[in-house]
Amino acid sequence: MHTITRINELDAIVIEHQDFTARILLQGAQLTEFTTTQHPENWLFVSPANTYETGKAIRGGIPICWPVFGAFDKNPEPVKSSFPKTLEQHGYARHAIWTLESVKPEKDHISIALSLDAAQLKQSPKLAVQVLFTLSEKGFDIALSTTNNDTAPITFSQALHTYFATSDIHQTSITGFSDCDYVDALTPHWETKNQHGDITFTEETDRIYKTGSNCAIHTPNKDFELRTSNSNSTVVWNPWIEKSKHLSQFNDDDYLNMLCVETANALDDSITLLPKQTHTLKLQTRIIKYRQKQ
Ligand code: TA6
């Protein structure tokens, strides 16, 4: 059911079930591949430019941005005062080697738990995080639980930075955010704007929507449904033509076949934990419609 394999410098858990397959890198507890018998193409985008080197972020799959989302200085004051100012973009979780806690095969699904402890990594403050993947022929579910093991309140931000695959970004849209406010991260002062109708892609897009509502991603040959819990912010990102040329681990034309829809707790939706409190961010992804390839 599961084996540990190596991709260049990185170890990965490979799941081979009769109804689904998956691959999770121990570095970053990063799900990079998920397929089902009914939908055998990787549901996730992973750039062919990745080199799978220790300490290098992998572009694709589901990077876990933790214990901060985005650039440190763009976080709210309570987050900035909880962490050292040297914290890198999207935090340290995606570069760290997570501990494989358990692999529990059941009849029609498998649960895989991995954990990371700030104290063990000599990071402060003392937060601990566990990610639980529940995989089945229906799709993948993720629960990201953070516990405050320190003695003072901690405010943190996070995101499941999911790269979804599409056969053509020009024929891809997102429904579920109409009339929702969003922060446009491409404006100098991160202006707040309002979404009119479906989200479509015609240029670089980098937005933090002020909702965690369920949404649907419509691609030429399949529609994904995303259901979330304990999230009131969703990041939508596509680097488009110019930014793609300057991104590491990414080909110039990769923007044509990916979009990030990130289940988050970002900006005003950052989370404050009292000592011993736990917060769990959840995402459930299903394919709700598919069209045979033309
Ligand atoms: O989630 C959107 C974003 O914050 C973009 O601004 C872009 O920086 C993207 O993440 C990728 O970040 P990375 O650090 O992986 O290059």
Side-chain angles (χ1 to χ4, degrees), residues 5-246:
T5 184
R6 200 161 179 76
I7 305 147
N8 193 18
E9 298 178 4
L10 302 182
D11 289 332
I13 308 159
V14 174
I15 304 291
E16 300 279 353
H17 184 282
Q18 63 181 19
D19 299 329
F20 55 89
T21 70
R23 186 178 76 179
I24 302 170
L25 301 175
L26 289 181
Q27 177 177 283
Q30 194 161 342
L31 179 66
T32 57
E33 283 179 29
F34 179 78
T35 71
T36 64
T37 311
Q38 197 176 19
H39 305 293
E41 293 177 334
N42 191 3
W43 292 25
L44 301 170
F45 170 85
V46 185
S47 175
N50 282 303
T51 55
Y52 298 95
E53 294 174 78
T54 304
K56 263 197 184 167
I58 303 303
R59 204 169 298 280
I62 308 181
I64 295 175
C65 303
W66 186 93
V68 290
F69 165 77
F72 183 77
D73 61 358
K74 289 290 189 186
N75 274 269
E77 277 313 314
V79 172
K80 289 196 285 189
S81 58
S82 293
F83 294 92
K85 305 216 176 316
T86 51
L87 208 47
E88 65 259 55
Q89 161 132 327
H90 292 332
Y92 54 79
R94 63 176 173 167
H95 299 111
I97 305 300
W98 290 52
T99 300
L100 177 59
E101 295 290 345
S102 62
V103 179
K104 293 178 182 167
E106 309 287 346
K107 181 174 167 301
D108 61 354
H109 69 276
I110 186 167
S111 302
I112 301 133
L114 299 102
S115 65
L116 202 60
D117 188 318
Q120 284 176 9
L121 296 173
K122 307 269 186 289
Q123 295 276 0
S124 66
K126 294 186 179 70
L127 284 174
V129 61
Q130 182 197 65
V131 63
L132 177 65
F133 295 100
T134 305
L135 311 176
S136 74
E137 64 172 350
K138 288 181 278 184
F140 61 84
D141 300 356
I142 301 175
L144 187 65
S145 298
T146 298
T147 300
N148 178 351
N149 289 333
D150 219 311
T151 54
I154 298 168
T155 304
F156 72 105
S157 57
Q158 61 184 349
L160 296 169
H161 197 296
T162 311
Y163 286 71
F164 287 95
T166 177
S167 56
D168 182 357
I169 192 65
H170 298 102
Q171 299 180 63
T172 297
S173 63
I174 306 172
T175 52
F177 294 102
S178 186
D179 204 27
C180 174
D181 283 351
Y182 64 89
V183 170
D184 185 343
L186 299 176
T187 56
H189 306 293
W190 282 32
E191 279 169 56
T192 295
K193 299 179 180 176
N194 186 265
Q195 180 62 38
H196 304 301
D198 299 352
I199 301 171
T200 55
F201 297 87
T202 57
E203 58 187 351
E204 183 180 355
T205 305
D206 193 351
R207 304 172 183 173
I208 300 145
Y209 285 83
K210 299 184 177 183
T211 179
S213 68
N214 300 337
C215 68
I217 301 169
H218 308 272
T219 74
N221 59 353
K222 62 176 79 111
D223 292 358
F224 298 96
E225 179 191 65
L226 279 61
R227 292 183 173 275
T228 72
S229 301
N230 304 328
S231 162
N232 282 304
S233 46
T234 305
V235 183
V236 174
W237 179 61
N238 183 290
W240 215 245
I241 300 166
E242 285 315 309
K243 179 142 193 186
S244 294
K245 293 173 184 170
H246 307 290

